[in-house]
Amino acid sequence: MMTVADITLGLMSETVITKIFGMSRWEPNARGRLEEAALELYSERGFDQTTVAEIAQLAGLTERTFFRHFADKREVLFGGEGMLDEIVTRVVAGAAESAAPIDAVAEGLAAIGEMFRGRRDHARRRQAVIAANPGLQERELIKLSRLAAATADVLRRRGVSEPAASLTAEAGIAVFKVAFERWVADGPDRELSTVIGESVDELKAVAGGRH
Amino acid sequence: MMTVADITLGLMSETVITKIFGMSRWEPNARGRLEEAALELYSERGFDQTTVAEIAQLAGLTERTFFRHFADKREVLFGGEGMLDEIVTRVVAGAAESAAPIDAVAEGLAAIGEMFRGRRDHARRRQAVIAANPGLQERELIKLSRLAAATADVLRRRGVSEPAASLTAEAGIAVFKVAFERWVADGPDRELSTVIGESVDELKAVAGGRH
């Protein structure tokens, strides 16, 4: 029997329902379940040997649902990309007007670090899958390159001239890359934002010739 | 009629002949001709619309000769990659023992700059082809990522510890990337090595918060 709530929900688009309830109507947290299933299969049998059908099956969902969330099996690993760009852009734009560009970028990177709190095991497994596959490595580099471009863009909007804006952004992404790899390789008792902070200081030291 | 020279050459492998004479036996500068023909076709009709057969034809060579020099049509654009790694590795390894890591890397990058003397027009055309094709952009990023890894490696052999070695190397490649784009976009009256030198100084300034 249908209730009033069912009818109301029936009139709302799935996107709206997802926004309100944080999940799809019939598939609570489908996205997260697909990501977890994909990572498990990629880790076990390799990226190339895994099909979308198998990922959907392990997640208890259909292939159609998979393709509602991801364009292809590669994109399951890069779902948070838009969010990275958005966080950095917002935090760098909102940094104190007096902040030096490198410190505004450092704030943005630290905010990304916060996003990974409690996700180190997931990040470590994802990194291992990517390291085993040249095509995924290229995709990861494109992601970081876009993040650098978005960062340079927001720095220019803060009034930083070229080439300082591009150099600061690219150096910031270099820091992020090195810090992320260290965080994943190090023990589990440190937060990414801490490692990023240390790496920014280290960049300042090496660029100042203090090594 | 065969001469003694012909007989002697007949006993030598083509690789040896190439090393001695700087060219293939029957195909003087085949490599350079293929590169030039490829760039011309990629610029005119686009990378995807060009075949190896067409490149070989325009260069006045056979497809077989093409594949003796390049694995596929993408690699024509990345032929100098090994040389980049070798130059940076050698120059950074040979920098004064007292040189700070960032300055050793700056020397290596300046040496790469020298390699591009008089090649700005070629570099500009190549850059335009790459900018128009996401697959080629990924390949270019992989090239720079390998260059960073090779640079970090030689810094570690100089006794630089981690993460300073990786950070310096990645920051150096960030400088190279930004400087190269500026050099290609700027007027033709500046040398790449000059732009690289300025960009290293700029990196030191931005990392020191002086902007």
Side-chain angles (χ1 to χ4, degrees):
Chain A
M1 204 193 102
M2 282 178 91
T3 65
V4 174
D6 285 334
I7 295 165
T8 313
L9 285 173
L11 294 171
M12 294 160 74
S13 79
E14 197 173 317
T15 315
V16 171
I17 294 172
T18 306
K19 274 196 184 147
I20 296 173
F21 298 104
M23 58 177 80
S24 274
R25 186 169 175 192
W26 298 285
E27 298 141 359
N29 193 24
R31 202 182 164 85
R33 279 157 61 194
L34 288 164
E35 281 174 348
E36 192 46 49
L39 197 52
E40 199 170 318
L41 291 170
Y42 297 165
S43 302
E44 259 173 37
R45 52 180 89 165
F47 177 79
D48 286 332
Q49 286 73 45
T50 302
T51 66
V52 167
E54 290 164 338
I55 296 168
Q57 198 189 8
L58 184 61
L61 297 163
T62 64
E63 281 189 67
R64 222 184 122 200
T65 302
F66 178 96
F67 288 115
R68 235 185 353 250
H69 289 279
F70 304 103
D72 55 45
K73 67 175 186 169
R74 195 169 83 153
E75 291 314 301
V76 193
L77 294 164
F78 297 94
E81 187 175 3
M83 221 193 295
L84 288 190
D85 289 5
E86 209 185 304
I87 289 177
V88 168
T89 307
R90 202 183 304 162
V91 174
V92 173
E97 220 178 304
S98 61
I102 187 72
D103 294 319
V105 171
E107 273 185 50
L109 298 177
I112 291 186
E114 287 302 321
M115 211 177 105
F116 285 92
R117 196 173 280 276
R119 303 263 296 164
R120 187 180 159 274
D121 185 58
H122 182 94
R124 194 181 49 72
R125 288 158 68 210
R126 177 182 172 278
Q127 198 84 339
V129 170
I130 288 172
N133 187 301
L136 296 177
Q137 284 165 39
E138 294 191 357
R139 181 67 184 74
E140 179 80 352
L141 289 172
I142 285 278
K143 184 185 85 176
L144 294 176
S145 170
R146 284 184 191 149
L147 189 56
T151 306
D153 203 47
V154 71
L155 285 176
R156 283 190 295 269
R157 288 205 302 274
R158 280 176 66 92
V160 181
S161 59
E162 281 298 346
S166 290
L167 272 169
T168 310
E170 291 284 352
I173 300 314
V175 160
F176 179 73
K177 200 178 156 190
V178 173
F180 199 88
E181 278 165 18
R182 273 176 69 204
W183 175 61
V184 163
D186 282 4
D189 39 339
R190 276 150 50 88
E191 293 297 342
L192 176 56
S193 51
T194 312
V195 184
I196 287 174
E198 287 171 12
S199 299
V200 171
D201 291 343
E202 189 82 18
L203 172 79
K204 291 178 175 179
V206 297
R210 296 195 296 282
H211 260 280
Chain B
M1 205 192 103
M2 281 179 90
T3 64
V4 174
D6 285 333
I7 294 164
T8 312
L9 285 174
L11 293 172
M12 295 161 73
S13 78
E14 195 173 320
T15 315
V16 171
I17 295 172
T18 306
K19 274 195 183 147
I20 296 173
F21 299 103
M23 58 176 79
S24 272
R25 186 169 175 192
W26 297 287
E27 298 143 358
N29 194 24
R31 203 181 163 85
R33 278 157 62 193
L34 288 164
E35 281 174 349
E36 192 46 49
L39 197 51
E40 199 169 319
L41 291 170
Y42 297 164
S43 302
E44 259 172 38
R45 51 180 90 165
F47 176 80
D48 287 331
Q49 285 74 45
T50 302
T51 66
V52 167
E54 290 165 339
I55 296 168
Q57 198 189 8
L58 184 60
L61 298 162
T62 63
E63 281 190 67
R64 221 183 123 202
T65 302
F66 179 96
F67 288 114
R68 243 197 332 264
H69 289 280
F70 304 105
D72 55 44
K73 68 174 185 169
R74 195 169 83 153
E75 291 314 301
V76 192
L77 294 165
F78 298 94
E81 185 173 5
M83 220 193 295
L84 288 190
D85 288 6
E86 209 186 304
I87 288 178
V88 168
T89 307
R90 201 184 303 162
V91 174
V92 173
E97 219 178 305
S98 61
I102 187 72
D103 294 319
V105 171
E107 274 185 48
L109 298 177
I112 291 185
E114 288 302 323
M115 211 176 105
F116 284 91
R117 195 174 280 275
R119 304 262 295 164
R120 186 179 160 275
D121 185 57
H122 181 96
R124 194 181 48 75
R125 288 157 67 209
R126 177 182 173 279
Q127 199 83 337
V129 170
I130 288 173
N133 187 303
L136 296 176
Q137 284 164 39
E138 294 192 356
R139 180 68 184 74
E140 179 81 351
L141 289 172
I142 284 278
K143 184 185 85 176
L144 294 175
S145 170
R146 284 185 191 147
L147 189 56
T151 307
D153 203 46
V154 70
L155 286 175
R156 281 189 296 269
R157 288 205 301 274
R158 279 177 67 92
V160 182
S161 59
E162 281 297 346
S166 290
L167 273 169
T168 309
E170 292 282 352
I173 300 314
V175 161
F176 178 72
K177 201 178 153 190
V178 173
F180 199 89
E181 278 165 18
R182 272 175 70 204
W183 175 62
V184 164
D186 282 4
D189 40 336
R190 277 150 49 87
E191 292 297 341
L192 176 57
S193 52
T194 312
V195 184
I196 288 175
E198 287 172 9
S199 299
V200 170
D201 290 343
E202 189 80 18
L203 172 79
K204 290 179 176 179
V206 298
R210 294 195 297 281
H211 260 281

